[in-house]
Amino acid sequence: MHVDQLIRMVNQMGSFFEAMPDRSEALHDLALHLRRFWEPRMRRELLAHLDAGGPGELNPVSAEAIRVHRALLE
């Protein structure tokens, strides 16, 4: 899957979870969703792209969820 599609999908999820009143729960739930429903290959591809400083803007919730809960995604 192309990394631009992964970024688009994680941003859509981030927009959904952003509406939750408890920010820390929203971040955890987003990361948990990625862990449960994304193939490991998809998570690896997204993380490798972000580590390489590749283009693609993550919305603030998505970026924070990945940063805070990275171990859950690896």
Side-chain angles (χ1 to χ4, degrees):
M1 181 170 281
H2 197 272
V3 73
D4 290 337
Q5 291 173 316
L6 297 175
I7 290 170
R8 181 181 50 80
M9 288 189 309
V10 78
N11 279 338
Q12 288 173 337
M13 286 180 262
S15 295
F16 172 81
F17 285 102
E18 186 173 32
M20 292 178 68
D22 183 336
R23 177 108 172 156
S24 62
E25 183 180 1
L27 299 177
H28 181 262
D29 287 355
L30 173 54
L32 196 57
H33 181 86
L34 292 173
R35 175 72 183 189
R36 287 181 179 162
F37 298 106
W38 278 30
E39 295 177 8
R41 173 185 54 87
M42 294 166 69
R43 295 191 312 266
R44 281 192 305 267
E45 187 175 341
L46 177 65
L47 293 174
H49 177 75
L50 297 174
D51 289 346
E57 293 292 322
L58 289 176
N59 63 32
V61 172
S62 299
E64 188 175 356
I66 291 170
R67 182 179 52 79
V68 171
H69 297 288
R70 183 179 179 117
L72 183 65
L73 302 175
E74 293 179 332

